């Protein structure tokens, strides 16, 4: 049966508004507590998943980058932290000049290495806005596929003019090892918001490059993955934003606040320098960068060996705790949903009333839910038996895995993740 003509016309009008950059995207307008009638459920979260969840303490995303991509082990063994950081900046500068010899040192390199199908019109317009506001910036994309290069250049020219379009730069896709290694060249990674970078985001964070992401849809997993992995690095507040305007402003701030200086020294004896010395003076020229994005890079790169995101063994142990609790509940026969497990008779701590009034319905719901979970975990850990447990698992409810070292990781995880 053909769709209603009025509905078709409304759909065309909506698409036209989007392509014209006039569509205001909603962020999480569906509230399962207050809009349950639209889903066939009278409130609750059964409309989302019938299964109970196992919530990991840091991120659901597992990887083996710490085991599989150790290109700088020799440097780490031979140098102090200061020498290692200088060597990393030298390696970035060398690769930058090799890949983009035409770029001046003052150009800020934004990048996105996702397949091009993830770039929707609204996001592309945001990228063009960023380039318009930062004349000394490019965005580096991959020919993934190659046919997309001509199309995106044509659209960029139509929407923002030839000058901006020239600063949308493409290179070929690199083999996996080189892809991760050259990720360090970018000054910042602009994530795709409809469907985030997944493995690519982890690749980029391992290289030390900050990822700017916006979890655009509250109930759409693929638009929230990068926020999860960013938070697991401990730098989530710096890399995750809550709106399109924040996305643009944060990117512009990183680029306009970036600066660099040069230092010169003789290479240490017995160690080949990363950058070639000047043939006349024998000195090596180091490009030292500063700014908010560089501050995040320093934290990501120097702390990646102890980052929860890259600790695969810890992630495995935590998952096994969740599995063990799920098995225990099944064997004991107490895995049936408990009608009282969501009882709110015990009042949760109330946030600041003025702050709550300023929130939309989805954010109010997230605030209530996070405080409720925090209260339950705090009650469970207030008892000697609770402090010995590896999980928080109310009868018939989801399982919250507690990390082996963190005192209250699930509270921190809930507060961090539900802020967006």
């Amino acid at each position: 049966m053909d769709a209603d003509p009025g509905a078709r016309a409304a759909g065309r009008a909506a698409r036209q508004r989007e392509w014209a950059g006039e569509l205001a995207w909603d962020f999480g307008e569906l509230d399962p507590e207050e809009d349950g009638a639209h889903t066939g459920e009278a409130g609750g979260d059964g409309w989302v998943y019938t299964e109970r969840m196992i919530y990991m303490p840091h991120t659901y995303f597992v990887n083996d980058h710490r085991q599989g991509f150790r290109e700088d082990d020799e440097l780490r063994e031979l140098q102090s932290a200061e020498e290692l950081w200088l060597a990393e900046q030298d390696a970035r500068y060398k690769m930058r000049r090799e890949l983009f010899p035409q770029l001046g040192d003052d150009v800020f390199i934004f990048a996105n290495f996702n397949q091009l199908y993830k770039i929707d019109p609204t996001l592309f317009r945001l990228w063009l806005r960023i380039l318009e506001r930062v004349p000394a910036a490019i965005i580096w994309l991959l020919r993934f596929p190659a046919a997309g290069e001509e199309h995106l250049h044509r659209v960029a020219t139509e929407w923002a003019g030839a000058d901006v379009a020239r600063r949308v730069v493409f290179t070929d896709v690199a083999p996996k090892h080189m892809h991760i290694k050259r990720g360090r060249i970018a000054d910042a990674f602009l994530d795709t918001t409809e469907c985030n970078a997944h493995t690519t985001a982890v690749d980029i964070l391992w290289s030390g490059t900050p990822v700017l992401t916006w979890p655009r849809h509250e109930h759409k997993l693929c638009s929230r993955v990068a926020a999860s992995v960013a938070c697991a690095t401990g730098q989530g507040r710096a890399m995750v934003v809550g709106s399109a305007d924040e996305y643009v402003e944060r990117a512009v701030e990183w680029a306009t606040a970036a600066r660099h200086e040069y230092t010169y020294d003789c290479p240490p004896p017995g160690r080949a320098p990363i950058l070639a010395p000047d043939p006349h003076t024998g000195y090596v020229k180091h490009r030292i960068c500063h700014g908010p994005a560089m501050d995040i890079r320093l934290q990501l790169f120097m702390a990646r060996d102890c980052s929860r995101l890259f600790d695969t063994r810890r992630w495995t142990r935590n998952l096994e705790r969740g599995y063990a609790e799920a098995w225990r509940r099944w064997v004991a026969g107490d895995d049936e949903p408990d009608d009282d497990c969501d009882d709110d008779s015990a009042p949760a701590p109330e946030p600041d009333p003025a702050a709550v009034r300023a929130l939309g319905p989805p954010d109010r719901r997230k605030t209530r839910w996070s405080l409720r979970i925090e209260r339950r975990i705090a009650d469970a850990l207030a008892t000697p038996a609770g402090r010995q447990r590896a999980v928080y698992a109310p009868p018939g409810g989801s399982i919250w895995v507690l990390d082996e070292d963190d005192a209250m990781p699930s509270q921190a995880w809930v507060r961090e993740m539900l802020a967006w």
Side-chain angles (χ1 to χ4, degrees):
M1 180 181 296
D2 290 340
D4 178 70
R8 288 201 305 272
R12 284 196 300 271
R15 287 192 295 274
Q16 290 167 357
R17 287 196 302 273
E18 178 182 356
W19 279 83
E22 298 171 356
L23 183 61
W25 283 89
D26 293 333
F27 181 51
E29 284 302 317
L30 183 59
D31 187 332
E33 289 188 357
E34 299 176 11
D35 296 336
H38 298 292
T39 66
E41 296 285 345
D45 63 356
W47 66 277
V48 182
Y49 298 107
T50 58
E51 302 86 353
R52 270 83 72 200
M53 299 292 105
I54 296 178
Y55 289 100
M56 299 290 283
H58 304 293
T59 180
Y60 88 97
F61 202 95
V62 64
N63 67 87
D64 68 342
H65 284 62
R66 200 165 80 179
Q67 291 75 38
F69 301 100
R70 304 298 314 185
E71 74 283 351
D72 59 357
D73 270 351
E74 183 178 351
L75 292 177
R76 287 175 179 268
E77 291 173 1
L78 294 176
Q79 301 183 54
S80 66
E82 292 78 10
E83 291 172 322
L84 174 61
W85 181 231
L86 179 61
E88 170 62 15
Q89 294 194 74
D90 285 349
R92 290 189 66 227
Y93 189 33
K94 179 181 179 180
M95 295 187 72
R96 173 191 172 111
R97 292 194 303 185
E98 291 172 348
L99 190 62
F100 298 113
Q102 76 283 8
L103 286 186
D105 286 354
D106 60 338
V107 174
F108 193 91
I109 301 177
F110 292 110
N112 182 279
F113 299 151
N114 290 332
Q115 294 190 57
L116 299 180
Y117 78 85
K118 291 188 176 184
I119 303 174
D120 63 273
T122 300
L123 174 69
F124 195 54
R125 186 172 291 277
L126 296 183
W127 289 355
L128 298 178
R129 282 172 54 191
I130 293 167
L131 293 182
E132 286 174 338
R133 292 181 57 183
V134 188
I138 67 168
I139 183 164
W140 169 21
L141 306 177
L142 299 182
R143 299 183 180 104
F144 199 14
E149 179 178 6
E150 185 277 333
H151 172 68
L152 289 177
H153 271 149
R154 174 174 54 79
V155 172
T157 301
E158 292 174 359
W159 288 1
D163 177 67
V164 170
R166 279 193 295 269
R167 290 186 280 125
V168 180
V169 178
F170 287 81
T171 65
D172 290 332
V173 179
K176 178 70 171 181
H177 184 77
M178 180 55 65
H179 156 72
I180 293 178
K181 197 170 184 178
R182 75 179 188 177
R184 58 160 56 115
I185 298 174
D187 294 299
F189 184 91
L190 296 180
D191 192 25
T192 45
T193 56
E194 191 70 32
C195 181
N196 291 169
H198 289 49
T199 302
T200 300
V202 180
D203 294 342
I204 292 299
L205 291 169
W206 176 255
S207 76
T209 298
V211 172
L212 178 60
T213 187
W214 165 32
R216 186 164 163 180
H217 301 291
E218 182 178 8
H219 302 300
K220 187 175 179 180
L221 172 65
C222 67
S223 77
R224 305 180 66 82
V225 170
S228 175
V229 299
C231 288
T233 67
Q235 300 297 315
R237 290 289 174 187
M239 295 189 286
V240 184
V241 297
S243 70
D245 287 341
E246 285 184 65
Y247 185 93
V248 172
E249 293 302 324
R250 186 71 56 85
V252 171
E253 176 193 356
W254 285 358
T256 55
R259 57 187 179 85
H260 66 274
E261 59 183 336
Y262 299 107
T263 64
Y264 301 84
D265 62 20
C266 289
R271 186 186 305 165
I274 296 174
L275 296 171
D278 184 281
H280 302 291
T281 65
Y283 282 88
V284 173
K285 176 183 177 182
H286 306 280
R287 177 176 178 260
I288 308 300
C289 300
H290 306 280
M294 203 64 187
D295 293 341
I296 301 170
R297 178 184 294 276
L298 172 64
Q299 297 298 322
L300 291 173
F301 180 78
M302 299 303 291
R304 67 182 186 176
D305 278 333
C306 58
S307 169
R308 297 297 189 257
L309 175 60
F310 301 115
D311 193 339
T312 311
R313 290 185 175 87
R314 176 189 295 270
W315 188 96
T316 303
R317 291 192 298 268
N318 286 332
L319 182 64
E320 289 172 345
R321 288 187 177 91
Y323 285 160
E325 173 62 16
W327 176 254
R328 183 202 66 76
R329 283 164 39 158
W330 187 84
V331 170
D334 60 0
D335 195 41
E336 293 300 317
D338 187 341
D339 291 338
D340 296 328
C341 70
D342 286 326
D343 176 50
D344 292 326
S345 57
E350 286 296 329
D352 177 54
V356 170
R357 284 194 297 271
L359 299 174
D363 292 321
R364 288 199 298 270
R365 178 181 58 78
K366 287 189 289 186
T367 299
R368 291 196 304 269
W369 189 71
S370 64
L371 290 172
R372 188 183 311 160
I373 295 297
E374 287 183 24
R375 181 199 68 204
R376 291 174 177 174
I377 294 174
D379 291 346
L381 296 183
T383 65
R387 286 192 291 271
Q388 298 301 314
R389 298 189 65 183
V391 297
Y392 164 67
S398 296
I399 297 171
W400 299 74
V401 180
L402 308 182
D403 191 74
E404 55 197 32
D405 291 340
D406 297 335
M408 293 291 285
S410 290
Q411 276 200 22
W413 182 89
V414 170
R415 187 176 293 277
E416 191 76 17
M417 287 303 298
L418 294 184
W420 298 287

